Amino acid sequence: MDNKIIITISREFGSGGRKIAEEVASRLNIDFYDNAIIEKVAQKTGFSKDYVEENEQKLTGNSLFNFSVSGSYAGAMVFGNSESLQDTMFFTESNVIKDLAYKSSCVIVGRCADYVLSKMPNCINVFIYSDMDSKIKRVVEDYKIEDTNIEKLLKDRDKLRAKHYQYYTGRTWGDCHNYDISINSDFVGLDTAVNIITEVALKRLNR
């Protein structure tokens, strides 16, 4: 029996996915990785932590051109386009994620981890989503974000995530076929979402 479990949690901004991920890690008593990945990438690349945090999911420069031409990183290589700083950041981030996953059981938030760890045994990939009204309320209450158009802010943030995911994986972000579990956090509630993921993880460990 493999006594290691890896859980990747992708989420719409404001869906409560990060809270769910933290609680799952706590329940299972395993490591939790989100901002720590940013710090490790900054150390390995020499970029500042603020730069990594600001740009890790943006497509700019060559990456944006490659996306418009070919729609994916693989396509960009076919067209012979060069790597950008974002490409360097993604590959470094991917290596960090693999190192963490091979080291010990953990919960990893976002960053195409479901794709990066697609060949990892005992890896459970989760996507968390919710309706717009709930996301707006959660963002205002949890992150104290004040904006004249929060709905646009949320849509723009998720649009960036979707483009980044498609470019580096060739997949559609949020498509249920890319995940083992998709959960509407409004329909089941955050606590039930945690219970579902934790129960599935424990069953996988005890197979």
Side-chain angles (χ1 to χ4, degrees):
M1 180 184 71
D2 189 346
N3 62 352
K4 183 167 66 175
I5 194 77
I6 307 299
I7 302 169
T8 73
I9 296 188
S10 305
R11 76 284 183 227
E12 292 182 344
F13 186 58
S15 65
R18 191 180 191 281
K19 279 188 174 181
I20 291 170
E22 281 188 295
E23 184 57 29
V24 167
S26 177
R27 294 264 190 98
L28 295 172
N29 193 29
I30 61 179
D31 294 325
F32 169 79
Y33 295 111
D34 184 9
N35 292 335
I37 294 175
I38 294 175
E39 295 174 359
K40 290 180 181 296
V41 171
Q43 292 170 3
K44 289 180 177 294
T45 61
F47 299 145
S48 70
K49 180 182 174 183
D50 289 342
Y51 179 85
V52 175
E53 187 171 13
E54 179 69 21
N55 292 282
E56 63 172 341
Q57 292 185 328
K58 288 183 178 178
L59 295 180
T60 59
N62 289 344
S63 288
L64 190 58
F65 173 73
N66 290 342
F67 183 83
S68 66
V69 171
S70 60
S72 70
Y73 180 77
M77 293 300 96
V78 171
F79 279 87
N81 298 327
S82 59
E83 292 183 7
S84 67
L85 290 177
Q86 280 71 31
D87 296 334
T88 298
M89 199 149 39
F90 174 77
F91 298 133
T92 303
E93 198 167 68
S94 296
N95 288 330
V96 166
I97 288 171
K98 289 176 184 177
D99 289 343
L100 294 173
Y102 280 103
K103 179 182 177 182
S104 62
S105 294
C106 60
V107 176
I108 299 174
V109 176
R111 299 174 176 86
C112 304
D114 59 290
Y115 176 80
V116 172
L117 301 176
S118 59
K119 296 182 180 179
M120 185 85 180
N122 265 12
C123 184
I124 301 171
N125 300 310
V126 182
F127 188 82
I128 306 294
Y129 63 99
S130 84
D131 66 59
M132 182 57 69
D133 288 341
S134 295
K135 289 191 289 189
I136 290 173
K137 180 180 179 182
R138 196 172 284 117
V139 163
V140 171
E141 292 179 351
D142 293 352
Y143 300 107
K144 312 301 180 187
I145 293 178
E146 296 181 4
D147 195 286
T148 55
N149 193 342
I150 295 181
E151 182 172 343
K152 182 179 184 303
L153 175 69
L154 296 179
K155 288 180 177 179
D156 287 348
R157 184 70 66 91
D158 283 345
K159 188 175 180 180
L160 282 176
R161 290 177 177 177
K163 282 187 174 182
H164 178 268
Y165 186 85
Q166 181 182 346
Y167 178 68
Y168 286 109
T169 72
R171 299 176 176 179
T172 300
W173 183 73
D175 184 341
C176 64
H177 295 91
N178 298 327
Y179 311 94
D180 302 303
I181 305 171
S182 293
I183 299 177
N184 183 334
S185 57
D186 294 323
F187 183 75
V188 303
L190 299 192
D191 289 341
T192 300
V194 171
N195 291 339
I196 292 170
I197 300 167
T198 302
E199 183 176 348
V200 171
L202 289 173
K203 285 184 177 179
R204 287 290 296 270
L205 279 171
N206 294 318
R207 286 190 307 178

